[in-house]
Amino acid sequence: MVFRRKRTNEPAPSPVAALLGIPAGEATVCNRFGCTSPADRRCGYIDRRNRPCNTDWCETHAHEIYGMVCCVRHTSTLVAIGSQGLDRGHLPELDNRVPSLVYWVGRDLEEDIPVMLKAVMDEQGGETMAADRVTLVAGGGRTAERRWERGWKNISHTGIGERITIQVIESSPTEVVVRVGGKLVHEETPPWIANRPTEPGLVRGDAEELNAAFYLRLREAIRGALRVTRH
């Protein structure tokens, strides 16, 4: 929600505010909770349905990415889909946090997964590892539902040797799915999402411990599935 504060005897707004259509004599307050700074930057994100974000932010809480100013949420979205997703027009709906969730979970595992894949890599057979960006998959394969995935795989001239995929389906936007090959090996809502509405009083140390335990479960599920495929 954009709050406006009336001010009297106020000079004309800054040039940026004027471009945003903020009338002289009014100051738009930054949308960041608790921030009272005037907002002279507007999020330029437009989703695949051609709906603009149009939220207003101050200099401190606005971000620039790919030549546009964005709010924190949509900066995270664009980081997740990358320039290729932007060029393809794969711009999630305004309130869609699924690609960001896939990106952040994948980022926190990107040091572990290559090590696990290397342990089962057939180097004599010419296998090498490849990593994919966060990608929209719409229909086909394991499910006909729209989903966002990030994958790592061992590949050679004969095809894919082993593959690990982090996946979130748009119809279940809080559920992180982990697959090894085509097999589902783990499915869980991250604690920072699961505990948000019910345990607002979690102290930082407790939250970090819960998050660490979540990633440990993911790593153990992947290692266990890879051990099975080797035998």
Side-chain angles (χ1 to χ4, degrees):
M1 178 180 294
V2 177
F3 299 93
R4 299 188 184 277
R5 293 178 176 177
K6 289 284 186 179
R7 294 184 180 179
T8 59
N9 301 319
E10 191 75 20
S14 69
V16 178
L19 287 173
L20 295 179
I22 301 173
E26 292 189 3
T28 302
V29 178
C30 179
N31 275 206
R32 177 66 175 251
F33 180 77
C35 181
T36 59
S37 299
D40 61 1
R41 286 159 173 76
R42 178 161 290 170
C43 180
Y45 183 87
I46 300 175
D47 71 12
R48 69 187 185 96
R49 302 182 188 277
N50 206 35
R51 297 177 301 177
C53 176
N54 278 352
T55 52
D56 296 324
W57 305 84
C58 69
E59 181 179 3
T60 301
H61 296 124
H63 300 268
E64 186 170 338
I65 182 171
Y66 301 129
M68 74 175 80
V69 173
C70 282
C71 62
V72 174
R73 175 185 292 188
H74 295 126
T75 297
S76 181
T77 297
L78 292 176
V79 168
I81 66 173
S83 59
Q84 290 183 345
L86 182 62
D87 293 341
R88 293 170 183 166
H90 292 170
L91 295 171
E93 287 78 1
L94 294 178
D95 58 350
N96 187 346
R97 300 189 181 191
V98 168
S100 296
L101 178 56
V102 174
Y103 171 80
W104 290 112
V105 172
R107 191 201 68 161
D108 288 341
L109 290 172
E110 65 186 358
E111 292 186 5
D112 301 290
I113 288 178
V115 173
M116 290 186 273
L117 280 175
K118 185 172 178 60
V120 296
M121 182 183 292
D122 181 8
E123 294 183 275
Q124 291 186 338
E127 281 191 348
T128 58
M129 198 202 74
D132 301 324
R133 292 192 63 95
V134 176
T135 305
L136 171 66
V137 181
R142 296 177 292 270
T143 173
E145 297 182 273
R146 282 170 55 95
R147 63 192 184 274
W148 294 82
E149 297 182 347
R150 186 178 181 192
W152 298 257
K153 53 185 179 282
N154 288 339
I155 57 174
S156 69
H157 67 282
T158 61
I160 298 175
E162 196 58 83
R163 180 182 176 90
I164 299 169
T165 305
I166 305 296
Q167 172 192 99
V168 179
I169 300 172
E170 286 190 344
S171 60
S172 300
T174 64
E175 200 81 4
V176 174
V177 174
V178 181
R179 293 182 181 271
V180 174
K183 182 180 179 182
L184 189 155
V185 299
H186 194 78
E187 191 172 11
E188 183 177 350
T189 297
W192 62 85
I193 296 176
N195 295 323
R196 186 186 299 149
T198 56
E199 297 183 57
L202 273 178
V203 298
R204 182 172 180 176
D206 292 338
E208 290 177 350
E209 185 176 337
L210 290 170
N211 294 346
F214 165 74
Y215 283 111
L216 178 61
R217 289 190 291 273
L218 266 57
R219 290 191 293 268
E220 288 179 341
I222 293 169
R223 288 193 186 96
L226 289 173
R227 282 195 294 268
V228 170
T229 62
R230 296 179 69 181
H231 296 91

